[in-house]
Amino acid sequence: MLEEESPQQKAIRLLNRQLGELQTVRSLNHKCPDFKAWRDTTRGILEMFLGPESHHTARFRDTRFFGPTRIIPYGVYVPGDYVSKEDLHGFRTGCETADATLRAAIRYVEDFGVYVEQPKPVTARRGGGRASGMSQNFHGPVNLNQAIATGSAIQRIGHVGNKTGTDLKEMLYLLQQSQDLTPRQLKEGAADIEALAAEVEKPEDERNWRSVLECGQRVLELAGKAVDLGAKLGLHLPAVAGLVDKAKHCLK
């Protein structure tokens, strides 16, 4: 009978497998489905065996596999399969970082073992009700607190009853589904979109156009990082680009 594989052995085997597959992935680009599948699998393995807060996990999660974000002018169409020289260079650099990160993660597991999640006690509810001895854990690109915060922002934006408000709400809903954004990026993006919605609700002569400009530019940049949702987000970007253009005109 074969000896059962330990969690440490399994982690090293899977990380080495992803490292080996990276050598094939290098010949692809950031828009290729095979690359996206490899990236998502690698991220899941790192989170499972090194923990979501590990330096190695965070470094891989924040690694960019594309070039500098470019704000697309309103009305300009860019084919979905176009990959620029800057993106190709960014992809190669990202793969080099991923290679080093996986090798460091393997060394870490060899030295210290795998991550073990500790149960968190739940404070007893008021009123004498009984509470469970441990909390439920949620896994995914967005944690529970982040989902609640984003959901609240969507609700607050929802009362802005015009086309721009609808676009902003839909953008925030889409961004929280992106595998390309970190929880921190999503949190900051939600705050910027919510701030834009608050200004849109005001009459134009009462808007803080400086805030509209700064928040709008950050939202456009964030949308550029959500590569996996480019086509869907593109339907709503003109609303933000229009606000940015209007802000620039008003601040002249």
Side-chain angles (χ1 to χ4, degrees):
M1 181 180 295
L2 295 176
E3 183 178 352
E4 185 177 356
E5 189 177 40
S6 70
Q8 185 176 17
Q9 291 171 329
K10 184 175 183 179
I12 293 172
R13 175 176 62 83
L14 293 178
L15 289 169
N16 272 311
R17 184 192 69 188
Q18 297 307 111
L19 183 60
E21 291 181 357
L22 174 59
Q23 310 319 310
T24 301
V25 167
R26 289 176 184 271
S27 64
L28 307 177
N29 62 67
H30 72 281
K31 296 183 179 182
C32 181
D34 288 341
F35 159 69
K36 293 179 181 180
W38 173 86
R39 179 199 57 194
D40 294 343
T41 300
T42 303
R43 175 174 170 174
I45 292 171
L46 287 167
E47 290 180 345
M48 177 178 295
F49 291 106
L50 280 83
E53 304 303 324
S54 161
H55 292 302
H56 304 302
T57 303
R59 183 179 299 279
F60 182 84
R61 190 167 54 229
D62 293 342
T63 297
R64 288 178 49 160
F65 292 89
F66 50 90
T69 301
R70 296 173 300 281
I71 297 178
I72 301 173
Y74 176 74
V76 175
Y77 172 72
V78 177
D81 59 352
Y82 174 75
V83 180
S84 67
K85 291 182 179 179
E86 292 83 2
D87 283 337
L88 289 175
H89 176 73
F91 184 78
R92 288 194 293 268
T93 301
C95 286
E96 291 173 0
T97 300
D99 185 293
T101 299
L102 285 172
R103 294 180 189 277
I106 292 169
R107 288 196 298 271
Y108 182 91
V109 173
E110 289 173 341
D111 292 340
F112 302 105
V114 299
Y115 167 76
V116 178
E117 186 170 14
Q118 299 297 322
K120 298 179 182 180
V122 177
T123 304
R125 296 189 299 269
R126 294 182 179 180
R130 296 181 62 185
S132 170
M134 64 179 64
S135 63
Q136 182 178 4
N137 296 309
F138 294 81
H139 300 281
V142 182
N143 61 37
L144 178 61
N145 290 334
Q146 191 64 54
I148 292 173
T150 306
S152 298
I154 289 176
Q155 291 179 357
R156 288 191 290 271
I157 294 172
H159 73 272
V160 181
N162 55 34
K163 177 63 168 59
T164 302
T166 300
D167 282 318
L168 292 174
K169 180 180 178 181
E170 186 63 22
M171 281 188 67
L172 183 52
Y173 174 76
L174 288 170
L175 287 171
Q176 69 175 331
Q177 301 177 43
S178 176
Q179 297 287 332
D180 291 329
L181 301 181
T182 66
R184 179 178 179 179
Q185 288 174 323
L186 178 59
K187 180 180 178 180
E188 293 173 350
D192 284 330
I193 292 175
E194 189 176 354
L196 279 177
E199 295 301 326
V200 168
E201 195 176 13
K202 302 175 184 177
E204 287 196 8
D205 58 349
E206 296 180 10
R207 292 177 186 174
N208 182 338
W209 290 109
R210 175 61 60 185
S211 176
V212 170
L213 177 62
E214 294 174 353
C215 291
Q217 288 177 330
R218 287 196 295 266
V219 169
L220 290 173
E221 182 177 356
L222 182 66
K225 295 176 181 178
V227 178
D228 54 347
L229 294 174
K232 294 181 180 179
L233 284 170
L235 298 174
H236 309 287
L237 288 179
V240 180
L243 286 173
V244 170
D245 289 341
K246 179 70 173 178
K248 291 178 178 178
H249 176 75
C250 292
L251 292 172
K252 285 182 178 180

